[in-house]
Amino acid sequence: MSTDNSRNTSNKSAEHRQDRHYMLYELFHSISSTLDTDVALNLIIDAAVHITGASSGSLVLVDWEKRLLNIAVYRGFVEPIEDTQLKVGEGITGWVAENGKALLVEDVSKDKRYVQLKADIRSELAVPLFIEDRLIGVVNVDSTRLNALDEEDLDLLTLLAKQSARVIDNGNLFDTVKRKVEELSTLIKVNKTIASTLSLNKTLREIVTQTARLMKTRICAIMLLSDDGETLLMKAHFGGGKQFEKITNLAINRHPLGEVIREQKTVIIPNVQQVTDYRFREITAAEGLDSLLAVPLTVRDKTIGLIKIYNDDTHRYTDEETNLLNTFADLCAVTIDNARLYDTMANLEEQTRRADRLAAVGELAVGIAHEIRNPLTVIKMIFESGSELNSKDRNVISEELTRMNTIITQLLDYTRPNEPAREFCKLNRIIENAIMFLSYQLDAKNIQLKSDLQKGMPKIFADPVQLQQIFLNIVLNSSEAMPDGGNIEISSKYDLDAGFEITLSDDGPGLPDIIAKNLFVPFTTTKVNGLGLGLSIIKRIIDGHQATINVNSNAGKGTSIQLVFPIGSQSLY
């Protein structure tokens, strides 16, 4: 009878083990179905507690850099324990992490290694998690009963740990790939954002802001090399208080960061407070900064500066972090170089414009000297004649003085053109007003003016007074070229692509080639008494409106002038 009872007990035990293995298989399938590391960790600890019948459990991941055990997930604890940290080698779990061996403790009160996290724990089982030869964590289960965990539980938890390590590894790989994709996407977006501006100062501010976000760091700064190559100059920073703003210049031959420039290499300082020759150490201490990562900004094999980031704690930067910052720095270096080239070109253009203005002043000086000398000569001759001034002499002097005043007035108009006082106005109404003002003069000269103005055009955003000045000047020039009468036509039209187009044409004698080529150059004129500044002033007004003017003239066939104001100058209908 006893033999039969023993056989039945053995069969039940075998069935129980079979059930537990089947349950473990089902748990394997459930755990392996996810690539989300957080989900996997929760499934693993649930499986560990369930398969062993434990009352509580935890899964810790090892931070080998700091030699700490970080509790990732736990079950069965009333009080939160995620902030509890044990060192490698401390407690049952710490011993397993340090030695890489499973440990079954049937009575924790008799094991000196035990560290109490829960008062009613009586037995404990801990199994290491390995990825290849690297221990990444420990699965730990506890029971409130003595001798509640046995060798079978150890075998089952070991099997679970092996499968779980693979799942965690796959999840980590998936997280790494996902993070790389996100980082690449961020790099592309950030590069577009940075490249959208050509201002060097704006570019630098955008770089430090985006770098801090990309690297998830509190403070980021850019330092550029001085022209003599001896000093690093602080150009922009993100984060940090008023103390940090005191970090200005660093001599590259007397500072640890100089190695970034001299050797074109990455410099990592785990704790700047421990580097005795680190300048501004007091400032970084006041800001609560410890670790530093600095990478070179290199373009065309030349280092132009560096990007540096700070962390609040002692931090050993990973290869991934270093590579990411170096990649971003390469993109930024090109952008900075382009912004510098743009600034250089802008400065050269300004110098060119200044030179052009000086040349124009020279031309003006020659022209003004010639124009003023003639009336002065006349006045001088009258005074040097020795005779008393009669009414005729006074009239001549008055006319010559008026002529000089006109010359000076036109000169001032040319050299100091007013900025356009833009408003939304009706282009056709401005043209019609100009025609009305000139109608009497045109009739007196037997000149017919015909207009063909498109109806329903939108308003133009321009200076109505300056526009009228343009039309009056051009029509007057045409009328003066036809002393014996003739015809002038003026038309307007609007096109969604081209903008506002005004054409003024006449059937006068046309312009000589030499005049047509220099029509807008000061003192270019066909008039006997003309100064030649009117069209120069008109050209500057047109440029001020970002408009264009084209002149087509053939000797004996008349002149046509086309004005085009850009589409950006329009409002709604």
Side-chain angles (χ1 to χ4, degrees):
M1 186 72 176
S2 60
T3 302
D4 292 338
N5 288 336
S6 177
R7 186 180 296 115
N8 289 335
T9 301
S10 178
N11 289 337
K12 288 181 180 180
S13 178
E15 290 175 1
H16 179 65
R17 283 196 301 271
Q18 185 175 359
D19 289 342
R20 295 179 75 188
H21 279 84
Y22 179 76
M23 186 188 303
L24 184 61
Y25 170 78
E26 292 293 327
L27 292 170
F28 282 166
H29 179 73
S30 176
I31 293 169
S32 302
S33 64
T34 181
L35 287 173
D36 188 310
T37 304
D38 290 335
V39 172
L41 292 175
N42 279 283
L43 289 174
I44 291 167
I45 194 59
D46 286 338
V49 172
H50 185 66
I51 200 70
T52 59
S55 56
S56 59
S58 61
L59 190 155
V60 302
L61 299 177
V62 182
D63 182 346
W64 287 109
E65 181 181 326
K66 298 179 181 179
R67 291 187 63 81
L68 292 175
L69 306 177
N70 297 315
I71 299 175
V73 289
Y74 59 91
R75 295 292 185 271
F77 289 86
V78 177
E79 299 295 329
I81 63 170
E82 62 267 18
D83 293 332
T84 303
Q85 283 190 326
L86 298 176
K87 297 178 181 179
V88 173
E90 185 179 5
I92 302 296
T93 308
W95 184 92
V96 172
E98 186 172 50
N99 292 275
K101 298 178 181 180
L103 183 62
L104 172 61
V105 180
E106 296 176 341
D107 185 353
V108 295
S109 64
K110 297 179 180 180
D111 197 308
K112 295 180 180 180
R113 293 168 293 191
Y114 178 71
V115 173
Q116 180 178 296
L117 295 182
K118 190 178 179 184
D120 57 352
I121 296 299
R122 294 294 178 265
S123 55
E124 183 175 346
L125 171 60
V127 175
L129 287 166
F130 279 99
I131 295 178
E132 296 181 351
D133 295 330
R134 181 168 55 92
L135 190 145
I136 62 167
V138 177
V139 179
N140 185 88
V141 291
D142 315 297
S143 178
T144 56
R145 296 178 291 113
L146 292 172
N147 302 313
L149 302 166
D150 56 21
E151 293 294 332
E152 185 178 336
D153 294 316
L154 175 60
D155 293 339
L156 289 172
L157 196 58
T158 301
L159 288 173
L160 177 64
K162 289 180 179 179
Q163 180 66 19
S164 297
R166 296 191 189 98
V167 173
I168 293 173
D169 190 35
N170 291 337
N172 288 338
L173 289 174
F174 177 76
D175 289 344
T176 299
V177 173
K178 183 180 179 182
R179 186 173 64 255
K180 292 292 185 184
V181 171
E182 291 174 349
E183 288 174 354
L184 180 59
S185 177
T186 301
L187 283 175
I188 294 172
K189 291 179 181 178
V190 168
N191 191 51
K192 286 182 178 179
T193 301
I194 293 173
S196 64
T197 176
L198 287 173
S199 167
L200 179 59
N201 289 333
K202 288 183 179 179
T203 297
L204 295 175
R205 289 195 298 269
E206 191 66 31
I207 286 174
V208 293
T209 300
Q210 298 297 344
T211 302
R213 292 175 181 171
L214 180 67
M215 302 303 298
K216 297 179 177 61
T217 187
R218 185 164 67 88
I219 294 180
C220 172
I222 281 184
M223 305 190 80
L224 297 182
L225 200 59
S226 61
D227 292 337
D228 60 10
E230 299 295 328
T231 308
L232 280 168
L233 309 176
M234 178 71 76
K235 291 297 183 180
H237 70 87
F238 174 86
K242 293 184 178 180
Q243 287 292 324
F244 192 80
E245 294 177 358
K246 295 180 181 178
I247 298 179
T248 53
N249 306 336
L250 300 176
I252 64 172
N253 61 344
R254 296 197 302 270
H255 195 276
L257 291 182
E259 190 176 0
V260 178
I261 305 299
R262 296 191 304 270
E263 306 294 332
Q264 290 189 358
K265 62 181 289 187
T266 298
V267 168
I268 297 175
I269 302 178
N271 191 334
V272 295
Q273 308 309 320
Q274 297 177 357
V275 181
T276 55
D277 59 344
Y278 188 87
R279 192 184 175 199
F280 302 118
R281 189 170 52 170
E282 297 80 5
I283 294 177
T284 55
E287 291 285 347
L289 305 175
D290 285 336
S291 54
L292 166 71
L293 170 61
V295 301
L297 291 165
T298 305
V299 60
R300 293 191 296 272
D301 295 326
K302 180 182 178 181
T303 301
I304 61 174
L306 60 82
I307 297 181
K308 57 180 179 177
I309 61 174
Y310 292 90
N311 278 75
D312 296 337
D313 55 358
T314 301
H315 178 71
R316 191 173 299 278
Y317 293 96
T318 65
D319 290 342
E320 288 184 1
E321 291 173 314
T322 303
N323 292 337
L324 178 60
L325 187 56
N326 271 294
T327 300
F328 188 52
D330 289 341
L331 295 175
C332 293
V334 175
T335 304
I336 293 171
D337 192 51
N338 288 340
R340 278 179 159 179
L341 289 175
Y342 177 79
D343 279 359
T344 301
M345 289 177 62
N347 290 333
L348 289 175
E349 287 179 2
E350 178 59 29
Q351 292 175 16
T352 301
R353 285 193 293 269
R354 189 179 296 112
D356 289 342
R357 287 196 293 270
L358 289 174
V361 169
E363 293 178 5
L364 285 173
V366 173
I368 293 299
H370 175 74
E371 294 293 334
I372 291 180
R373 179 182 296 160
N374 291 337
L376 285 177
T377 300
V378 173
I379 294 172
K380 181 181 178 183
M381 289 174 61
I382 291 174
F383 277 104
E384 289 180 349
S385 64
S387 59
E388 293 185 4
L389 298 179
N390 54 36
S391 60
K392 182 179 179 180
D393 292 334
R394 290 189 180 91
N395 289 336
V396 170
I397 292 173
S398 177
E399 289 175 0
E400 296 301 330
L401 290 176
T402 300
R403 175 173 168 75
M404 284 191 290
N405 183 62
T406 301
I407 292 171
I408 298 300
T409 299
Q410 291 191 12
L411 175 64
L412 292 175
D413 289 341
Y414 176 75
T415 56
R416 295 185 299 182
N418 294 326
E419 288 295 321
R422 298 182 186 231
E423 61 183 73
F424 290 110
C425 48
K426 294 182 178 180
L427 178 61
N428 285 346
R429 180 173 294 176
I430 296 171
I431 296 173
E432 290 168 348
N433 288 341
I435 293 173
M436 182 182 66
F437 291 151
L438 296 173
S439 59
Y440 177 80
Q441 296 182 46
L442 297 178
D443 289 341
K445 293 182 179 181
N446 195 27
I447 293 175
Q448 302 295 319
L449 193 151
K450 297 179 181 179
S451 62
D452 179 17
L453 308 180
Q454 179 180 322
K455 296 181 180 180
M457 290 197 302
K459 291 181 179 179
I460 187 172
F461 188 60
D463 186 328
V465 175
Q466 290 190 350
L467 288 190
Q468 186 160 287
Q469 184 180 356
I470 292 173
F471 303 140
L472 288 173
N473 191 288
I474 293 175
V475 174
L476 280 173
N477 280 347
S478 294
S479 67
E480 291 174 358
M482 299 184 293
D484 299 325
N487 297 286
I488 297 176
E489 294 182 1
I490 181 169
S491 65
S492 68
K493 65 179 182 179
Y494 170 76
D495 181 83
L496 191 59
D497 295 322
F500 299 88
E501 182 179 311
I502 305 96
T503 303
L504 301 100
S505 58
D506 64 53
D507 56 3
L511 297 170
D513 289 343
I514 186 63
I515 297 296
K517 290 178 180 179
N518 299 283
L519 193 59
F520 303 111
V521 176
F523 307 112
T524 300
T525 183
T526 59
K527 304 174 187 176
V528 176
N529 295 318
L531 183 58
L533 287 176
L535 286 176
S536 298
I537 296 171
I538 295 306
K539 180 63 167 64
R540 298 185 74 167
I541 292 174
I542 290 170
D543 290 343
H545 283 78
Q546 291 81 48
T548 59
I549 181 169
N550 294 305
V551 179
N552 185 15
S553 184
N554 296 308
K557 296 183 180 180
T559 301
S560 176
I561 296 178
Q562 182 189 61
L563 303 169
V564 178
F565 290 83
I567 191 68
S569 300
Q570 76 157 52
S571 71
L572 297 177
Y573 286 81

